[in-house]
Amino acid sequence: SAALAIAEFDGIDFQVDVADDLPLVLAEQRVLQEAVSNLLDNALKFVLIQPDSDGAMPPEVLLSIAAREAEGGTAVEIRVEDNGPGTEHTSVQLCKSGFRGQEAVNNRVPGTGLGLHIVEELVGLMEGELELASSKRLGGFSASIVVQCPSSEA
């Protein structure tokens, strides 16, 4: 995939963790693919901004896909995490509306700042949720797309 090629070129440790026996989701394939692609693009750009310039912490991105319980039943969570600079809690809502953070400006990260806004719009088309937070696993940024599974009631 393109994300894997970019990660390899930039020396990013890119890991994929996909759970076994994932249920089907209620989503348009192209829409979901575009949303995940935008999350990966952001992670692969921002993970290269490392707080300590001595390179002690190699850049790392993790894509994980797993089933989870959600308000409406079972859902699938597609999470992209990195060990980049992350973002302050107060900036998360701004990111969803097309905000270009100071880290992006200071470090000349390419892009328009619309990536997460586009993801939120795409996830909305699938009636899913976009969750943004600090990565508990890697310490940087975490973005999750949560998409409902069809009801098993027939």
Side-chain angles (χ1 to χ4, degrees):
S1 81
L4 186 57
I6 291 167
E8 191 173 304
F9 180 81
D10 286 334
I12 299 167
D13 180 15
F14 182 69
Q15 300 294 318
V16 178
D17 180 15
V18 179
D20 294 328
D21 300 322
L22 288 171
L24 294 175
V25 295
L26 295 171
E28 172 67 38
Q29 179 182 346
R30 288 184 189 161
V31 173
L32 184 57
Q33 183 177 355
E34 184 64 28
V36 173
S37 177
N38 271 283
L39 292 183
L40 286 170
D41 185 54
N42 274 356
L44 291 168
K45 286 190 285 190
F46 284 93
V47 74
L48 294 174
I49 303 171
Q50 292 294 324
D52 49 9
S53 58
D54 64 3
M57 191 169 57
E60 186 175 357
V61 172
L62 172 64
L63 168 65
S64 57
I65 306 173
R68 76 175 209 192
E69 289 305 311
E71 195 170 304
T74 303
V76 169
E77 177 182 25
I78 302 166
R79 179 179 298 188
V80 177
E81 299 175 79
D82 64 58
N83 67 343
T87 188
E88 295 178 24
H89 181 71
T90 54
S91 298
V92 170
Q93 290 306 319
L94 291 172
C95 289
K96 285 184 173 183
S97 62
F99 171 73
R100 195 151 157 75
Q102 197 60 46
E103 289 285 344
V105 174
N106 292 347
N107 291 284
R108 299 178 186 204
V109 174
T112 60
L114 293 174
L116 291 176
H117 177 68
I118 292 169
V119 171
E120 184 169 52
E121 292 294 317
L122 294 172
V123 171
L125 291 173
M126 298 180 290
E127 298 182 18
E129 293 179 40
L130 174 62
E131 300 172 351
L132 306 176
S134 293
S135 170
K136 292 182 176 129
R137 223 185 288 190
L138 300 180
F141 192 68
S142 171
S144 297
I145 297 171
V146 181
V147 184
Q148 287 296 130
C149 298
S151 173
S152 59
E153 299 171 10

